[in-house]
């Protein structure tokens, strides 16, 4: 295997486990606003005409009719659900240990979908086959077309059962993937003129403008993006991640990992021991909200509790893998806007 392939696979494992853009705990275990709009066929009903969609790999999937049996990464399924498109099966973080819906499942009723895998590297191919899938959809966190949460060991078997669509969430601003998911949902029959849909897009635009104004009204506020594991604290860089690139474009001033640290992680993050968690000065801290990461209320490290932003109560959650519907992207933008509006300079 080439060095490039090895690095890519390692990064996928890191991303999945819960560190800074999903890069984290796997360290202990491991292992252009780009593509153009999709071509879509009939929007009426399954079987009413041919269907096609050009994904962010440049691959055009063509089917005799609109896909009825859709299987998707959990976050993608949650986004499609917001647009009125129901999938049959999901893979990825869906159900918590206490049987509740994972944060990445959004508003989906998880009792109505078949869960093919709930953790990294888990995908029940046999169960997938029984769903008679027409289409598999996932996101992509690299420029090589690697489908998120589709296991490397079984990807070829999975690919033989149904065509796939990949939506890139790598090295671009949030608005790009949001538009691509909009186009995909529309091709699958979603009513994009529904008040719920258009209203959510308007709220997102309003929240974005609020964030832009907040930064101008309270200049100099430094924001650090973190994720916690038992052994390490991870600081994310503002490049590569769709939400952070978008927030940066709106004027947010982020703490950046050292160049040496970013080179070691493909540009994603810097890992710090808990003794060195105060290396970077920050006024507001955004913390990974996924179940794979330790949440702020559960961090017991004394060094964490002594951080100025923590002592000032200026810590908020971050949707590290945003659900790509406008409805679900409103709250994270509003939360950051409010945090910066209220933030005191403590660094």
């Amino acid at each position: 295997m080439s060095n490039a392939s090895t690095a890519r696979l390692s990064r996928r494992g890191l991303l999945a486990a819960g560190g800074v853009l999903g890069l984290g705990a796997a360290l202990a275990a491991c292992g252009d606003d780009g593509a153009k709009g999709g071509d879509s066929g009939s929007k009426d009903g399954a079987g009413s005409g041919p269907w096609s969609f050009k994904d962010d790999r440049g691959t055009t999937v063509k089917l005799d009719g609109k896909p009825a049996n859709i299987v998707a990464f959990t976050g993608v399924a949650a986004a499609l659900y917001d647009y009125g498109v129901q999938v049959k099966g999901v893979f990825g973080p869906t159900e918590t240990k206490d049987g509740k819906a994972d944060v990445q499942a959004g508003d989906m009723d998880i009792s109505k979908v078949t869960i093919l895998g709930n953790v990294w590297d888990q995908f029940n191919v046999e169960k997938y086959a029984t769903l008679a899938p027409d289409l598999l959809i996932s996101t992509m966190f690299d420029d090589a077309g690697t489908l998120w949460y589709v296991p490397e060991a079984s990807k070829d078997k999975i690919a033989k059962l149904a065509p796939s669509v990949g939506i890139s969430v790598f090295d671009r601003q949030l608005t790009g993937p949001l538009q691509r998911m909009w186009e995909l949902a529309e091709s699958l029959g979603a009513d994009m003129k529904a008040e719920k849909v258009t209203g959510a897009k308007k709220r997102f635009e309003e929240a974005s403008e609020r964030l832009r104004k907040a930064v101008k009204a309270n200049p100099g506020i430094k924001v650090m993006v973190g994720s916690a594991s038992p052994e390490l604290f991870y600081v994310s860089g503002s490049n590569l991640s769709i939400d952070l690139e978008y927030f940066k474009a709106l004027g947010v001033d982020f703490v950046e990992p050292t160049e040496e640290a970013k080179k070691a992680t493909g540009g994603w993050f810097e890992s710090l021991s808990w003794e060195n968690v105060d290396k970077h000065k920050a006024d507001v801290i955004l913390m990974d909200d996924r179940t794979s990461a330790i949440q702020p209320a559960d961090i017991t490290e004394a060094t964490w509790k002594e951080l100025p932003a923590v002592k000032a109560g200026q810590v908020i959650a971050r949707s590290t893998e945003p659900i790509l519907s406008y409805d679900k992207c409103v709250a994270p933008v509003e939360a950051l806007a409010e945090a910066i509006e209220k933030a005191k300079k403590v660094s």
Side-chain angles (χ1 to χ4, degrees):
M1 181 180 292
S2 70
N3 290 335
S5 297
T6 302
R8 182 164 66 249
L9 293 176
S10 296
R11 187 163 70 248
R12 290 182 74 223
L14 292 171
L15 278 161
V20 176
L21 190 194
L23 298 139
L27 279 169
C30 2
D32 67 30
D33 262 338
K36 303 298 182 183
D39 300 323
S40 57
S42 171
K43 299 174 188 175
D44 296 323
S48 61
W51 179 89
S52 67
F53 188 85
K54 185 176 181 180
D55 76 357
D56 290 345
R57 299 169 296 186
T59 300
T60 300
V61 177
K62 297 181 179 181
L63 300 173
D64 292 338
K66 188 172 63 182
N69 297 341
I70 301 171
V71 172
F73 171 68
T74 303
V76 170
L80 292 176
Y81 179 88
D82 286 347
Y83 290 130
V85 178
Q86 180 69 48
V87 306
K88 289 195 71 173
V90 296
F91 55 95
T94 306
E95 186 176 26
T96 61
K97 292 179 180 179
D98 59 2
K100 296 180 180 179
D102 188 274
V103 64
Q104 293 192 65
D107 292 333
M108 277 196 305
D109 182 347
I110 62 172
S111 69
K112 294 184 178 180
V113 294
T114 299
I115 301 173
L116 301 174
N118 199 54
V119 298
W120 182 253
D121 231 19
Q122 183 183 87
F123 192 114
N124 191 319
V125 181
E126 291 72 22
K127 188 181 290 186
Y128 177 55
T130 66
L131 296 177
D134 298 317
L135 184 68
L136 180 145
I137 312 170
S138 191
T139 48
M140 300 181 296
F141 277 92
D142 61 26
D143 56 6
T146 307
L147 295 175
W148 192 229
Y149 266 80
V150 173
E152 186 71 18
S154 55
K155 67 177 184 179
D156 293 338
K157 292 180 180 178
I158 292 167
K160 290 178 181 179
L161 293 170
S164 62
V165 161
I167 300 296
S168 180
V169 290
F170 175 71
D171 196 17
R172 60 200 66 206
Q173 292 182 28
L174 176 61
T175 45
L178 274 173
Q179 178 60 29
R180 294 295 284 138
M181 192 62 69
W182 176 289
E183 293 165 0
L184 178 58
E186 185 174 32
S187 79
L188 294 170
D191 180 4
M192 310 313 284
K193 294 181 180 179
E195 184 177 351
K196 177 183 177 182
V197 173
T198 58
K201 187 174 183 180
K202 182 179 179 181
R203 293 197 312 276
F204 174 81
E205 292 166 349
E206 292 171 346
S208 299
E209 184 59 26
R210 178 182 174 184
L211 178 55
R212 190 193 306 273
K213 290 179 178 178
V215 173
K216 290 182 178 179
N218 196 4
I221 297 300
K222 202 79 174 177
V223 179
M224 180 166 70
V225 182
S227 184
S229 75
E231 297 83 13
L232 297 169
F233 183 83
Y234 304 93
V235 178
S236 178
S238 63
N239 293 328
L240 305 183
S241 302
I242 57 174
D243 59 330
L244 304 186
E245 288 206 15
Y246 183 58
F247 297 156
K248 184 168 62 175
L250 293 175
V252 177
D253 186 10
F254 286 106
V255 167
E256 297 291 349
T258 64
E259 288 303 314
E260 183 180 4
K262 287 197 291 186
K263 285 180 181 178
T265 61
W268 288 102
F269 70 101
E270 176 179 11
S271 57
L272 300 173
S273 67
W274 283 104
E275 289 76 15
N276 295 317
V277 74
D278 60 352
K279 176 180 178 178
H280 300 289
K281 307 304 179 184
D283 305 297
V284 173
I285 303 177
L286 283 176
M287 289 295 288
D288 189 347
D289 72 348
R290 294 170 304 167
T291 53
S292 54
I294 300 175
Q295 297 307 298
D298 299 320
I299 298 175
T300 59
E301 300 290 341
T303 49
W304 163 261
K305 294 179 180 179
E306 288 301 313
L307 292 178
V310 175
K311 293 174 74 172
Q314 295 177 176
V315 179
I316 64 172
R318 174 199 177 199
S319 297
T320 305
E321 291 183 46
I323 293 172
L324 296 174
S325 71
Y326 284 101
D327 179 71
K328 291 299 178 293
C329 287
V330 172
V333 182
E334 287 184 335
L336 182 55
E338 182 177 6
I340 292 176
E341 288 167 353
K342 295 179 177 180
K344 297 177 181 179
K345 186 70 179 174
V346 296
S347 63

